[in-house]
Structure formats: structure tokens, C-alpha cells
């Protein structure tokens, strides 16, 4: 069993993982030896703070070992992906890969002989969405009936939220004037619409009025944020999305808590005042990544 996208996970598997994450957070000592003698290989083609730290610390807390591999310091960039994945499987019990392209992640998973976890690609970020669902469950006491509004660009995080929320009984409304083309997934959208829990609108104020959680992400892919070659596209996006910024004026129109997968670009998708307010739970989300990933690891390794 892999975790490549939440599209292939059942409602039961998603809910069990969220509940297991909460249990592990509440009583970490109970699980301190659960993966003793097991090795997690972490492969990073794109940079990371939360994914690396949460997986490495989580694996350590479970009694296992985490092995960090920078893509540029391995033969993955030179050799056949399937061959390298097969070899890496002989050294580890589970592989977490953070890849630029979803197709390459699929290729890696096809060659692996052990479970593969998608640590983020250009189409999906399932670990983030599971941590987000855990945060909603922790705050509200239940998932069913919660209403999450995602504002900004339709991207990998948004895709995984749509898949996870609609399978967990959470209503999700997206206010996304544009789609990041590499993230486009019409099949996911069609499935979500059929659940009755998914709604799309560009009326931001109407959407947030009844929200429990207001979620945003960077408008610009983080690897391009400071890239001079991307300056023209950055300028275009800032102008296109300026009306969709989460600021204190918008928060005055809703009782929702603010979520962000981080890193946040203050002054763009949200203001520093919002990020630093008591209504922002982004740091709690970041912590919960570790707990829910411990649950993922133990479930995939039995």
C-alpha cells in the first residue's frame, strides 16, 4: 500500500489515520518503539523544512531510523528511476519522496518494493491534507459538518484538501480564480462535485461568511518566489490575486480560523497581522504534520 494521492484512499483509511495521529499526539510514549529497527528513506528533489523535520523526528520518536537523501547527491538524477527505487527498497522499509513532477513520483513508486509516500509533488500533497484534517478534528472535536474555505490558486495542496475533505465529511468551498496548470485534475473535480460537499465560487465574502476555517497558500510556487526569471509571472499573479488576500478586514466578516500550509509570504496571500493573530493555527498545522505522518508510517508498515 502506498500514499501517492488521497484519491486512492478510502474514507475509512483517511479517518483512521486522523484518529491515530491524535492518539499518538496525546500519548507518544505508548508508540515509542512501534517502528524499532525500521528505516525510512527520505528522498528530496525539492527543498523542505516541515516535511523533512516532521518525518525525521516522527520516525525517531517511533524508534526507527530516517535516512536523508538529497537528489543532487545521489544517482537518482542520472540513472533509471525504477532501478534506483528498487535498490533503495533493499536498504529501507518505506520511502518518502518529495518530487517536482507527479509522473516521476509514479515512476519511482512503480519500481519500489516497499511502500512509497508522496511528500509533495506538483499535483498532490496528501500528508499536508491529512495533517490539516487532524487539525480541524482537534479543534472542532469532529470532522463531519465542518466547512473549510480555500482561497487562492488551485494547486497541489488544494487538490489534496478537496480529496481529503470530501471523503471525511468536511464541506469545502474553493475560491480559486486560477489553476496551476501542472496541478489540474478534472477527474478529482468531477468526483468531488458528486459528493455534494464541494462548491466553487469567486464570491469571497459570501464564501467566508459561513466558514469554520479559512485556508490559503502561496500564490507563487515557492521554488520560483525569489527567481529573477520568474519576476514577470510573479508580478502578474500578485495583481491577479490581490483581491483574494486574507487580511483583517476579511476576518472581520467571518468567525473562521486561518490555516496555511507554510511557508507564508506575508503581504501577499495573507498579511503579517493575520499570520500573527490568535486566529491563525498554521503552526499547529505544522506540528500535526509530524503526528499524522507517524500514523501514516505505522499504518503502511503494519
Amino acid at each position: 500500500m502506498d500514499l501517492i494521492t488521497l484519491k486512492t484512499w478510502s474514507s475509512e483509511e483517511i479517518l483512521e489515520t486522523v484518529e491515530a495521529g491524535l492518539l499518538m499526539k496525546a500519548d507518544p510514549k505508548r508508540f515509542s518503539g512501534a517502528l524499532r529497527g525500521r528505516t525510512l528513506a527520505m528522498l528530496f528533489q525539492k527543498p523542505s523544512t516541515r516535511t523533512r523535520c516532521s518525518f525525521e523526528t516522527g520516525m525517531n520518536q517511533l524508534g526507527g531510523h530516517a535516512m536523508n537523501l538529497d537528489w543532487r547527491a545521489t544517482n537518482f538524477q542520472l540513472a533509471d528511476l525504477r532501478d534506483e527505487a528498487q535498490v533503495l527498497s533493499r536498504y529501507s522499509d518505506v520511502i518518502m519522496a518529495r518530487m517536482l513532477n507527479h509522473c516521476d513520483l509514479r515512476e519511482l513508486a512503480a519500481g519500489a518494493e516497499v511502500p512509497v509516500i508522496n511528500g509533495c509533488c506538483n499535483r498532490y500533497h496528501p500528508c499536508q491534507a491529512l495533517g490539516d484534517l487532524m487539525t480541524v478534528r482537534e479543534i472542532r472535536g469532529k470532522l463531519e459538518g465542518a466547512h473549510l474555505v480555500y482561497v487562492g490558486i488551485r494547486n497541489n495542496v488544494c487538490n489534496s484538501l478537496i480529496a481529503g475533505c470530501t471523503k471525511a465529511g468536511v464541506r469545502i468551498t474553493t475560491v480559486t480564480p486560477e489553476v496551476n496548470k501542472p496541478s489540474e485534475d478534472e477527474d478529482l473535480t468531477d468526483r468531488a462535485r458528486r459528493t455534494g460537499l464541494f462548491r466553487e465560487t469567486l464570491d469571497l465574502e459570501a464564501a467566508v461568511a459561513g466558514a469554520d476555517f479559512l485556508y490559503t497558500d502561496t500564490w507563487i510556487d515557492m521554488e520560483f518566489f525569489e527567481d529573477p526569471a520568474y519576476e514577470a509571472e510573479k508580478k502578474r499573479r500578485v495583481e491577479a490575486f490581490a483581491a483574494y488576500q486574507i487580511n483583517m478586514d476579511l476576518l472581520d466578516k467571518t468567525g473562521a480560523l486561518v490555516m496555511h500550509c507554510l511557508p507564508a509570504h506575508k503581504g501577499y496571500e495573507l498579511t503579517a497581522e493575520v499570520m500573527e493573530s490568535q486566529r491563525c493555527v498554521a503552526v499547529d498545522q505544522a506540528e500535526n504534520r509530524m503526528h499524522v505522518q507517524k500514523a501514516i508510517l505505522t499504518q503502511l508498515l503494519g
Side-chain angles (χ1 to χ4, degrees):
M1 179 180 175
D2 296 325
L3 175 54
I4 305 300
T5 167
L6 292 178
K7 286 172 65 175
T8 61
W9 273 36
S10 67
S11 296
E12 291 75 18
E13 287 166 334
I14 290 170
L15 293 171
E16 285 172 7
T17 303
V18 168
E19 293 303 317
L22 286 166
L23 186 59
M24 289 180 168
K25 182 175 183 178
D27 192 5
K29 289 184 179 180
R30 176 179 169 187
F31 304 94
S32 59
L35 296 183
R36 185 174 290 114
R38 302 293 190 99
T39 296
L40 163 67
M42 304 186 300
L43 179 63
F44 291 96
Q45 192 181 36
K46 60 188 295 187
S48 167
T49 302
R50 277 149 293 278
T51 297
R52 178 183 173 180
C53 293
S54 56
F55 266 109
E56 188 166 340
T57 303
M59 192 64 176
N60 180 267
Q61 290 182 2
L62 292 169
H65 170 66
M67 177 169 53
N68 180 53
L69 298 170
D70 185 324
W71 181 268
R72 296 164 297 178
T74 70
N75 284 332
F76 270 93
Q77 62 181 331
L78 303 173
D80 183 272
L81 263 176
R82 291 195 183 205
D83 292 348
E84 290 295 280
Q86 188 175 21
V87 170
L88 188 57
S89 300
R90 304 296 175 91
Y91 305 140
S92 57
D93 300 287
V94 57
I95 298 169
M96 186 283 296
R98 187 174 172 92
M99 307 284 283
L100 291 171
N101 296 308
H102 183 68
C103 59
D104 289 339
L105 182 70
R106 286 284 188 190
E107 190 74 4
L108 184 146
E113 298 174 346
V114 297
V116 172
I117 300 169
N118 182 357
C120 186
C121 69
N122 61 349
R123 295 196 79 182
Y124 309 109
H125 200 347
C127 296
Q128 179 66 54
L130 287 171
D132 297 336
L133 288 172
M134 177 180 161
T135 305
V136 171
R137 162 70 174 81
E138 184 177 45
I139 291 171
R140 289 189 78 251
K142 64 178 183 177
L143 286 169
E144 188 176 5
H147 183 202
L148 183 147
V149 174
Y150 177 92
V151 181
I153 196 159
R154 173 80 175 264
N155 61 6
N156 51 358
V157 170
C158 183
N159 282 346
S160 290
L161 282 169
I162 291 169
C165 286
T166 53
K167 289 187 176 186
V170 175
R171 289 192 296 131
I172 177 166
T173 299
T174 59
V175 186
T176 53
E178 289 186 24
V179 178
N180 239 7
K181 286 301 178 184
S183 308
E184 197 162 18
D185 188 340
E186 284 300 326
D187 173 66
L188 170 67
T189 304
D190 291 342
R191 291 191 197 189
R193 286 171 179 151
R194 290 196 293 270
T195 67
L197 293 170
F198 174 55
R199 177 173 171 258
E200 300 165 280
T201 182
L202 291 180
D203 189 336
L204 179 58
E205 290 194 13
V208 305
D212 297 305
F213 298 91
L214 189 52
Y215 198 121
T216 192
D217 189 8
T218 180
W219 299 332
I220 302 133
D221 295 339
M222 63 183 185
E223 57 264 37
F224 300 123
F225 196 82
E226 301 296 341
D227 187 346
Y230 205 66
E231 195 61 35
E233 176 62 7
K234 174 181 173 180
K235 183 175 184 295
R236 187 196 70 77
R237 290 198 189 186
V238 168
E239 292 173 354
F241 287 90
Y244 299 91
Q245 182 188 72
I246 297 182
N247 50 46
M248 294 308 292
D249 286 341
L250 183 65
L251 283 193
D252 287 341
K253 299 177 173 68
T254 176
L257 297 177
V258 177
M259 303 180 78
H260 195 303
C261 55
L262 301 181
H265 297 124
K266 298 174 185 178
Y268 293 87
E269 69 271 12
L270 85 175
T271 62
E273 190 178 9
V274 167
M275 184 67 194
E276 293 157 14
S277 75
Q278 293 296 312
R279 291 177 59 183
C280 183
V281 296
V283 175
D284 296 323
Q285 286 175 261
E287 178 190 347
N288 286 340
R289 285 281 304 280
M290 180 181 69
H291 303 298
V292 87
Q293 284 160 189
K294 288 165 68 174
I296 293 167
L297 289 166
T298 54
Q299 286 182 265
L300 294 187
L301 292 174

